[in-house]
Amino acid sequence: MKRIPIGIPGFDELIQGGIPVGANVLIMGSPMTGKTTMAMQFIYKGLTVGDAGIFISTNETAESVKDKMISFGWDTTPYEREGIMKYVDCYGMMVDSKLSDTPSIKRIPSLLAFTSMSVVLSDLCSQFWKLEKTIRIAFDSVSSLLMYANPEAVIRFLHVLLGRFKMVRAVSMLILEEGMHEKTVETTLQQLSDGTFRLAMKGKERTLTCLGLIATRCLNREVPIEITERGIAIKE
Amino acid sequence: MKRIPIGIPGFDELIQGGIPVGANVLIMGSPMTGKTTMAMQFIYKGLTVGDAGIFISTNETAESVKDKMISFGWDTTPYEREGIMKYVDCYGMMVDSKLSDTPSIKRIPSLLAFTSMSVVLSDLCSQFWKLEKTIRIAFDSVSSLLMYANPEAVIRFLHVLLGRFKMVRAVSMLILEEGMHEKTVETTLQQLSDGTFRLAMKGKERTLTCLGLIATRCLNREVPIEITERGIAIKE
Amino acid sequence: MKRIPIGIPGFDELIQGGIPVGANVLIMGSPMTGKTTMAMQFIYKGLTVGDAGIFISTNETAESVKDKMISFGWDTTPYEREGIMKYVDCYGMMVDSKLSDTPSIKRIPSLLAFTSMSVVLSDLCSQFWKLEKTIRIAFDSVSSLLMYANPEAVIRFLHVLLGRFKMVRAVSMLILEEGMHEKTVETTLQQLSDGTFRLAMKGKERTLTCLGLIATRCLNREVPIEITERGIAIKE
Amino acid sequence: MKRIPIGIPGFDELIQGGIPVGANVLIMGSPMTGKTTMAMQFIYKGLTVGDAGIFISTNETAESVKDKMISFGWDTTPYEREGIMKYVDCYGMMVDSKLSDTPSIKRIPSLLAFTSMSVVLSDLCSQFWKLEKTIRIAFDSVSSLLMYANPEAVIRFLHVLLGRFKMVRAVSMLILEEGMHEKTVETTLQQLSDGTFRLAMKGKERTLTCLGLIATRCLNREVPIEITERGIAIKE
Amino acid sequence: MKRIPIGIPGFDELIQGGIPVGANVLIMGSPMTGKTTMAMQFIYKGLTVGDAGIFISTNETAESVKDKMISFGWDTTPYEREGIMKYVDCYGMMVDSKLSDTPSIKRIPSLLAFTSMSVVLSDLCSQFWKLEKTIRIAFDSVSSLLMYANPEAVIRFLHVLLGRFKMVRAVSMLILEEGMHEKTVETTLQQLSDGTFRLAMKGKERTLTCLGLIATRCLNREVPIEITERGIAIKE
Amino acid sequence: MKRIPIGIPGFDELIQGGIPVGANVLIMGSPMTGKTTMAMQFIYKGLTVGDAGIFISTNETAESVKDKMISFGWDTTPYEREGIMKYVDCYGMMVDSKLSDTPSIKRIPSLLAFTSMSVVLSDLCSQFWKLEKTIRIAFDSVSSLLMYANPEAVIRFLHVLLGRFKMVRAVSMLILEEGMHEKTVETTLQQLSDGTFRLAMKGKERTLTCLGLIATRCLNREVPIEITERGIAIKE
């Protein structure tokens, strides 16, 4: 079974080399535990090994995501030129309706525009599929969708969207805020996923845990991590 | 009373040989405890002893179900040719609207199309009934129905559907995710059933428990199991 | 005060000979504790002592009820011919719309057809009333009504229906699944009743308890029972 | 301050002689604790000392109420003839639409007919008021109203109705089932009342407690009672 | 900062002389703890020192309020003649539609007539404002409003009404029943207020506590009180 | 990274000099813990160092806010003349519809007028942005919005509004009452924020805690404070 390294040295080894191709995983954690950083690192790692990347943002513009990645030294510009990195910006046009698409940024008019999101993502996926690329997708975050639509609608949307990702063997990371949603919503999202990772912070101690991952002996152990200027790293 | 072996050697003996003809049972468990595997094993076992099989999938395409079965060595192709194995795919057309029926796969346009499901299943049942076949049905999963319709509608749908299964003396297995639904919904589904099995995993230990089964002295004991490359087996 | 024996030897003595004429009682219990058996036994006992019987089924066809009664040796055929045993089948037509009435079976088109149920039951009651028969009624089950209509509608329906039963001095048994409904619904149904019996099963031990019965010193004691091939019997 | 004895010898003394004129009280208790008996005793006691009585029934016909009163030796017939005892039957016409009014029984077509109830009760009150009678009213029960209408509607209805009772200085007893309603509904009803009594039964021990009564030093003590063939009596 | 004494000798000293001008306070407590008495005492105290008074009643007629005040020796008649005491009766017309206004009583047709209440109160306030009077307002009770309208509507109504009171520097007392409302409703009302007092009764012991008051060092101490024939007094 | 001092000497040092430019923070606390004072101090501090200020009030008129600021010695008049201080009054017109705009006060007709608020705030922001001013915004309070609209609408409004603030690099403080809202609403608002401060009061002890702040090592330590006639100060 082909596996995709997340790009956290030391941690990928603990999950038998990475996430199996075709799987979707949930990244859970409280605010400021590093969920977005982990998603960016995962996308950038992919670009460096020849995978295609899609970053879907719902809380900030694509430009702001890109700036944050650069601050970690992860400049996606060359990969955008190469045509293998795309941003899907679901936030910008709500804040500034004059924003428009660029070659590497697709804008969705509103977080409620599920159909539009679906079409754009399906198109990007089939484009990359034709290039025979392994596709990495980050969705930051599902929690924002749940601010705009009721849980039932969001879950049905993801139920189908994740099926489409699976058809092109994409590996996707969905970010979910902990404590913001009903327990049954969290459980249902976990049931839709092929695995779950949790980021946590107690005082100054940060940890990353694999709570379960398809086809993987996942030790369910809290691994101490730190967030350095080069991203998430396992702490010795 | 005629009984139908599930196909888990050692376990069938513990429930007096299998599930009584005409009964419907619930398979409960958390994600990745082996519910789908148990349902596949039950269907395949039937095919090998001359029973007819219907596998209803709501989370993946029929093709994906078939692939998974093959990975356990359970290739249904010869039985499909014989006309005694049918897949009812309630998921594929939502992900890819160009998918169509094949001789052994019936597609339902959406998980909300309860009437369509009802008609297709009644037809298949009466077909097999005329062939004087014992019918085995797997429904994977009721939890997905509960994502698309409210619990009342799902329960009324099953209340009638299970009545139809009983009229053709079919044995059916309904899969339910634990923890995803209101407690009263779980209890109501148990009340609609003639029996309940629970799959669980604690650390690396897996267990299967019969929580109750009509006309059966069911010991309510957690039986240690393992999932091998040949399916679920009792652990010595 | 005239009392009607349930037909469980030994237990009737504990409740001063039986249920007072005109009373309605609730039979509560978890799945497979013997509620339906108790209702059938109550109806059959009545037939053997010259009372009229009405069995209302909401989870299976009248034919299936009758089969189960026969399996206990309680064949109602002679009493049907005599015209003092009637089945009201609220389930069959939902599963097979071609089913029709017989001299002793009335079909209700759907569990939502409260008016139709009301008319049929009032008619049967006044028929038996003219024959100067004591009337025994079993309703299996109220829980199914609660799957199809909201609790308020069901409670108002029963509030009036039970009043009609009382006007013809009928003794009725209403079956209710425990744990399937909101606590306040259970309490309200108990308040509508003139008494409550609970069937329970702990491991292999079965018990029957009278939780309260109008005009009766009811000891509120769990009586050990067993279910034999001749129905429910007190255990020595 | 003029006080009205309930008619339970010994207990009236404990509450300084009875309920103050113009007050409304709540009688709370579980099923079969004697609430209806207490209301009947209160009405009958009034008749024997020259007060007017109104008994409002929502769970049984006026005829059935009267029969029960007679079974305690409380025959209201002479007082009906005198024109100082009236029954308001809110139940009978729902069960048998052919029932009609008699000189001493007013029928309300349905428990939902709040306006009709209001008019009938206002009329009866002003009739008795002109006769310069102290008026006693029993309402059995508020819990039934709560089966037919939502709590907000019932509370607004009572908020106004109790104001009308107060204008004619009537003393009213409202019966409420315990455990059947939301806690906030119970608290709101207590807030609408000028006092609350609770009837309870533990095993075979029955008690009556005054939980609070306007202008009365109410000891909040559980008084042991028994229900004899002459009604409720304090136990020595 | 000008302060207004409540009129409970000894207690006013504990809160630095009284309630600051322009403040609104909440009086919380269970039934029969003296909330209405405290509001009446506050209004009457004002009249005796030259302040204007408005008493808004939602549970009884203005006449009944006045009677109760007289029973404490607080006859408002001279102040009504002087034109500085007004009753706003939001209850009477619901009970007796023939009631009409008097020079000192304004009737509101129903507790749902928020606009009408708003207009009447604004008019009275600006009348008194022109007379350069300090205005005292009692609202007995907010809990009744919450019986007739949903919490959101009541809170929005008070959010604006209290702003109008503040514009004329009125001091207002709003009465709230404890335990009758959702916790979040109580908290929101406290947040709308400039202070909160709680009346409580444990056995025979009564207490009054200042839970917080704007611009006041409020000791948050339970002060023992008694209700005498002259109103609330601190217990030595 | 540029940081903006709040203006609480000693405390700003604890958070590395102040709030990062472009960040929005939540100020949580129970009634009367100093939330409004902190917001006023933050705005005034900015004016004295050349920043622009916007104070949005939802519970009192702009005039009342200004009066309170003056009582702390924070007179905004000179800055209003200079054109760098603006009040957005969302309350006044609901209480007195005759109020109108002034050069430094913008009135919003109602707390429900989200679009109007949005337009006014965007205009003010782009005005200040052109002047190349750092912008400080205080929103007192989000809790009032939640009284007028449902949480979903408020959260979506803020999700976009905060994005607009971020585009002009404004630093904003949003005030939230603790205990008045559902826990999930509080968590969601925290997730929308870049940091959270909590004000608390235990007995007479007041504290201020930084619960988290973007790009800041925030010690999560309760700092004792006092509210003096010059605003909030750290206690030695």
Side-chain angles (χ1 to χ4, degrees), chain A residues 152 155-156 159-160 162-164 167 184 187-188 191-195 213-214, chain B residues 31-32 58-59 91 94-96 111 144 147-149 177-182:
Chain A
E152 289 73 26
I155 284 162
R156 289 195 295 259
H159 186 231
V160 170
L162 295 175
R164 293 202 179 132
M167 285 182 90
T184 51
T187 313
T188 302
Q191 191 263 334
L192 285 182
S193 305
D194 299 312
L213 181 58
I214 196 170
Chain B
M32 295 186 230
T58 63
N59 289 308
Y91 184 67
M94 294 197 302
V95 173
D96 180 354
L111 264 180
S144 303
M147 287 181 202
Y148 280 73
E177 293 291 326
E178 267 192 278
M180 193 172 134
H181 313 291
E182 299 290 326

Side-chain angles (χ1 to χ4, degrees), chain D residues 5 44-45 58 83 191-192:
Chain D
Y44 190 76
K45 170 70 179 182
T58 64
Q191 191 263 338
L192 286 183

Side-chain angles (χ1 to χ4, degrees), chain C residues 101-114:
Chain C
D101 283 14
T102 73
S104 59
I105 302 177
K106 302 285 172 197
R107 314 269 184 197
I108 307 294
S110 143
L111 264 179
L112 277 168
F114 285 5

Side-chain angles (χ1 to χ4, degrees), chain E residues 78-204:
Chain E
Y79 306 101
E80 294 173 46
R81 283 208 202 99
E82 215 184 304
I84 62 169
M85 175 66 203
K86 301 288 180 187
Y87 291 92
V88 178
D89 178 351
C90 308
Y91 184 68
M93 285 180 73
M94 294 197 302
V95 173
D96 180 355
S97 57
K98 284 172 307 216
L99 285 181
S100 58
D101 283 13
T102 75
S104 58
I105 301 176
K106 302 285 173 200
R107 314 269 183 199
I108 306 294
S110 144
L111 264 180
L112 276 169
F114 284 5
T115 310
S116 166
M117 263 183 248
S118 214
V119 169
V120 164
L121 289 167
S122 297
D123 281 358
L124 290 177
C125 281
S126 59
Q127 237 171 272
F128 288 146
W129 180 247
K130 281 176 201 151
L131 297 175
E132 293 182 10
K133 287 286 181 190
T134 297
I135 308 170
R136 296 183 178 216
I137 302 171
F139 198 122
D140 183 12
S141 69
V142 171
S143 295
S144 303
L145 291 188
L146 288 161
M147 285 181 204
Y148 280 74
N150 60 49
E152 290 73 26
V154 171
I155 283 163
R156 289 196 294 259
F157 170 66
L158 292 175
H159 187 231
V160 170
L161 187 68
L162 294 175
R164 294 204 177 129
F165 289 171
K166 207 170 280 275
M167 285 182 89
V168 296
R169 313 292 293 151
V171 177
S172 55
M173 262 190 188
L174 280 74
I175 287 180
L176 188 74
E177 293 293 325
E178 267 191 278
M180 193 172 133
H181 313 292
E182 300 290 326
K183 193 69 197 154
T184 51
V185 172
E186 281 191 5
T187 313
T188 302
L189 288 168
Q190 282 184 280
Q191 191 262 336
L192 286 182
S193 304
D194 299 312
T196 306
F197 295 91
R198 173 182 282 135
L199 284 158
M201 188 161 45
K202 282 186 200 138
K204 295 183 186 175

Side-chain angles (χ1 to χ4, degrees), chain F residues 90-104:
Chain F
C90 307
Y91 185 67
M93 286 181 73
M94 294 197 301
V95 173
D96 180 355
S97 59
K98 285 174 305 221
L99 285 180
S100 58
D101 282 14
T102 75
S104 58

Side-chain angles (χ1 to χ4, degrees), chain C residues 152 155-164 167 183-184 187-188 190-196 212-215 217 219, chain D residues 31-32 58-59 61 68 91-96 99 111-112 141 143-144 146-149 177-182 204:
Chain C
E152 290 72 25
I155 284 163
R156 290 196 294 262
F157 169 66
L158 292 176
H159 187 230
V160 170
L161 186 68
L162 295 176
R164 292 203 178 128
M167 285 183 89
K183 194 69 197 156
T184 50
T187 314
T188 302
Q190 282 186 281
Q191 191 262 336
L192 286 182
S193 304
D194 299 312
T196 306
L213 181 58
I214 196 170
R217 260 177 235 285
L219 295 170
Chain D
M32 294 184 230
T58 64
N59 289 307
T61 59
K68 280 192 190 159
Y91 183 69
M93 285 180 74
M94 294 198 300
V95 174
D96 180 356
L99 285 181
L111 264 180
L112 276 168
S141 70
S143 295
S144 302
L146 288 161
M147 285 182 206
Y148 279 74
E177 293 292 326
E178 268 191 277
M180 193 171 132
H181 313 292
E182 300 289 325
K204 295 183 187 174

Side-chain angles (χ1 to χ4, degrees), chain A residues 217, chain B residues 37 41 44 67-75 226-233:
Chain A
R217 259 178 235 286
Chain B
T37 305
Q41 192 161 354
Y44 191 76
D67 285 354
K68 280 192 190 160
M69 291 186 75
I70 288 173
S71 78
F72 282 106
W74 302 330
D75 188 352
E226 56 191 342
I227 303 190
T228 70
E229 52 188 16
R230 287 278 162 254
I232 295 173

